[in-house]
Amino acid sequence: MSVNGFAGRVRSREKLVGYWITLDVPPVAERIARLGYDYVVLDGQHGLIGYQGLMTGLLAIDAGASIGPRPTAGLVRVEANDPTPIGRALDAGATGVIVPLIDTADDVVRAVRAAKYPPAGVRSFGPMRASLRIGPVPADSNAQTVVLAMIETPLGLKNVAEICATPGLDGVYVGPSDLGLALGARFPGDPEIEGPFEEAVELIAQTAQEAGIAAGIHTFDGDSANLRIEQGYSFATVASDLSHLEASAAAHLETARQSFPS
């Protein structure tokens, strides 16, 4: 059985807060995981992490969670909707996968089948590290790992109802940067498309709720995460290690130079 019960928490739409890791630095993942986040995501799509980094990052998350105040699950955003990266992330011990660039219900079917052992799917058996975290029995793994589909493209937004209704999907996850670009933004956070963007964000949360699945979203700070959860999202991810590192360094630099001649 899963050591953290994360799948059940997602499926019951418990309110959860997570964190995003882009750097291949296991001690960072370990320190973040000990803070009490409900989940920590390792970014295998745009992050600076290879497969070895995903495995050691998941090890670090488990180590940090073991001394933290609450259970923390390790998730992976995989590089593509393909059985190989999905299966390898789960074999390395991920409690779930976030699958990018989902356009249609058929895309969801492929993702779910890649993440599940037969007869529910086509995942090849070889749970190297996962057997220690979730168990070697395929049915247990099918039940205790989650599949989350990213809504971030024009087609994904158009087909959101069909996507949410696809059997086996545990939740959807909004990528705000790509969703904004899909709505015509010139750059992520473009204020000119704020209205349509907020309408889309609300639609996705409502559609997921009506389908009985979880809805998550990436945010850029704790205030924004809290706002999205108040709006109906069941889970929200806060920023990332790289963005926080840069912002903190810039703030300290500005403070240190306050007494310098202008």
Side-chain angles (χ1 to χ4, degrees):
M1 295 294 290
S2 172
V3 296
N4 53 47
F6 183 75
R9 299 173 73 192
V10 170
R11 291 171 188 146
S12 64
R13 287 178 280 174
E14 182 179 332
K15 296 184 187 303
L16 307 171
V17 178
Y19 195 80
W20 199 265
I21 296 284
T22 65
L23 300 174
D24 185 0
V25 186
V28 170
E30 183 179 26
R31 283 177 173 267
I32 295 297
R34 68 186 290 270
L35 296 178
Y37 283 96
D38 297 297
Y39 62 92
V40 175
V41 183
L42 300 174
D43 189 353
Q45 183 190 22
H46 293 303
L48 308 174
I49 311 174
Y51 182 71
Q52 182 69 28
L54 292 178
M55 187 189 68
T56 54
L58 290 166
L59 279 162
I61 290 168
D62 288 338
S66 70
I67 56 174
R70 59 189 299 150
T72 301
L75 307 182
V76 172
R77 176 166 71 170
V78 296
E79 61 188 81
N81 186 7
D82 182 89
T84 298
I86 290 174
R88 295 194 84 194
L90 295 172
D91 287 348
T95 308
V97 290
I98 300 174
V99 185
L101 301 172
I102 295 295
D103 286 331
T104 66
D106 286 342
D107 288 344
V108 178
V109 170
R110 290 195 296 116
V112 171
R113 285 181 57 78
K116 304 299 180 183
Y117 290 115
V122 297
R123 180 181 170 189
S124 179
F125 189 80
M128 296 299 162
R129 182 169 175 271
S131 62
L132 304 175
R133 306 299 299 168
I134 296 167
V137 179
D140 289 345
S141 182
N142 287 353
Q144 296 298 325
T145 55
V146 298
V147 179
L148 306 173
M150 292 197 73
I151 305 296
E152 54 184 347
T153 67
L155 278 176
L157 184 59
K158 177 183 177 181
N159 296 322
V160 65
E162 292 84 357
I163 288 170
C164 289
T166 306
L169 184 66
D170 299 295
V172 291
Y173 188 83
V174 175
S177 295
D178 280 324
L179 181 62
L181 295 177
L183 293 168
R186 298 165 297 167
F187 49 82
D190 185 353
E192 289 190 6
I193 57 97
E194 181 179 0
F197 178 81
E198 291 299 325
E199 290 176 4
V201 166
E202 182 178 349
L203 172 66
I204 294 166
Q206 180 179 346
T207 304
Q209 184 175 18
E210 291 172 353
I213 65 171
I217 188 169
H218 193 93
T219 67
F220 300 102
D221 54 50
D223 288 336
S224 299
N226 184 58
L227 173 64
R228 295 306 185 191
I229 290 174
E230 288 182 343
Q231 289 178 335
Y233 280 82
S234 51
F235 65 100
T237 310
V238 178
S240 73
D241 52 351
L242 187 57
S243 64
H244 274 163
L245 176 63
E246 182 178 12
S248 180
H252 284 297
L253 176 61
E254 182 178 358
T255 300
R257 285 181 170 167
Q258 284 180 353
S259 61
F260 284 28
S262 57

